[in-house]
Amino acid sequence: QQPVQSPQAVILREGEDAVINCSSSKALYSVHWYRQKHGEAPVFLMILLKGGEQKGHEKISASFNEKKQQSSLYLTASQLSYSGTYFCGTARTGNQFYFGTGTSLTVIP
Amino acid sequence: DSGVTQTPKHLITATGQRVTLRCSPRSGDLSVYWYQQSLDQGLQFLIQYYNGEERAKGNILERFSAQQFPDLHSELNLSSLELGDSALYFCASSPGLAGINEQFFGPGTRLTVL
């Protein structure tokens, strides 16, 4: 049930770009992205719905391939504040929701 | 501040005991979710309530139970506690269904079982 994320961890220098992938073996209704900083609660970034609708922050971009049940989160011109663990979350129906395995992102000066 | 409150912030107890974690959702949110996060682990979905009714169950043990009250606050009851139950327990709320609504997370309750 749990979606798989890749890579598990990535280290970037400020200004570099990164892509985080999320893959599910089941048909998805939507994909969510959250960021969690150490010791804090997860914070919402974006929702991608089946059919193409998106809701989220303007500076975050992501894609959702409904046929492949895959989503990618694109982080461009990374800043130190982007550091944290990124989780995708997937909903198969309106209610059941599962978070992915997580990707640790570290941005260094 | 997400608007979701959880109490207590920390809880230390012994094996075999029972504890209750409390969550108050954001004003107007009807859905409440419970998650367990063990040390350096991901977020495990436990259970979801919508307007007082259970709507979805995840990897919740039989020793755990939850409910959502008429005022929409929720409680997660953990009984016969084991060492492995030590974790950070998050509550989240959303206006409606999980699939189409962002979730707002509370600060979490850190449970330590000795």
Side-chain angles (χ1 to χ4, degrees), chain B residues 62-103:
Chain B
E62 284 190 10
R63 300 183 285 109
F64 296 0
S65 65
Q67 54 184 326
Q68 186 179 29
F69 295 86
D71 67 352
L72 301 178
H73 91 271
S74 178
E75 293 181 356
L76 179 67
N77 300 297
L78 316 175
S79 61
S80 302
L81 285 168
E82 302 175 358
L83 295 178
D85 297 329
S86 294
L88 192 52
Y89 290 84
F90 285 108
C91 160
S93 75
S94 71
L97 299 176
I100 59 174
N101 291 279
E102 64 185 279
Q103 296 179 41

Side-chain angles (χ1 to χ4, degrees), chain A residues 30 32 34 89-91 95-99, chain B residues 33 35 45 56 98-99 103:
Chain A
S30 65
H32 301 212
Y34 288 79
T90 57
N95 294 319
Q96 286 200 327
F97 192 82
Y98 293 93
F99 277 101
Chain B
Y33 314 80
Y35 295 92
F45 169 66
Q103 296 179 41

Side-chain angles (χ1 to χ4, degrees), chain A residues 27-78:
Chain A
L28 300 176
Y29 180 81
S30 65
V31 178
H32 301 212
W33 287 96
Y34 288 79
R35 177 172 60 214
Q36 184 179 29
K37 292 187 179 286
H38 185 69
E40 298 180 7
V43 174
F44 168 78
L45 296 176
M46 175 165 279
I47 292 178
L48 302 105
L49 300 172
K50 198 172 177 179
E53 185 180 349
Q54 296 186 5
K55 295 194 286 184
H57 296 280
E58 292 178 2
K59 294 188 177 180
I60 300 288
S61 65
S63 64
F64 178 21
N65 185 324
E66 296 172 29
K67 287 186 179 178
K68 292 186 176 181
Q69 312 308 324
Q70 293 175 347
S71 177
S72 295
L73 182 71
Y74 304 98
L75 302 169
T76 57
S78 58

Side-chain angles (χ1 to χ4, degrees), chain B:
Chain B
D1 184 0
S2 67
V4 179
T5 60
Q6 288 187 249
T7 56
K9 194 169 182 179
H10 300 279
L11 197 50
I12 300 174
T13 188
T15 54
Q17 295 297 305
R18 172 189 167 95
V19 297
T20 298
L21 312 183
R22 183 187 168 103
C23 168
S24 291
R26 288 189 327 153
S27 177
D29 283 357
L30 299 177
S31 283
V32 169
Y33 314 80
W34 286 99
Y35 295 92
Q36 179 193 56
Q37 187 172 39
S38 302
L39 191 64
D40 293 329
Q41 296 295 311
L43 291 151
Q44 297 296 318
F45 169 66
L46 296 178
I47 198 164
Q48 183 214 354
Y49 281 84
Y50 177 81
N51 203 20
E53 293 187 6
E54 181 185 308
R55 294 300 291 264
K57 247 182 179 179
N59 303 320
I60 188 166
L61 300 173
E62 284 190 10
R63 300 183 285 109
F64 296 0
S65 65
Q67 54 184 326
Q68 186 179 29
F69 295 86
D71 67 352
L72 301 178
H73 91 271
S74 178
E75 293 181 356
L76 179 67
N77 300 297
L78 316 175
S79 61
S80 302
L81 285 168
E82 302 175 358
L83 295 178
D85 297 329
S86 294
L88 192 52
Y89 290 84
F90 285 108
C91 160
S93 75
S94 71
L97 299 176
I100 59 174
N101 291 279
E102 64 185 279
Q103 296 179 41
F104 297 87
F105 281 77
T109 292
R110 183 166 295 282
L111 173 67
T112 303
V113 183
L114 301 175

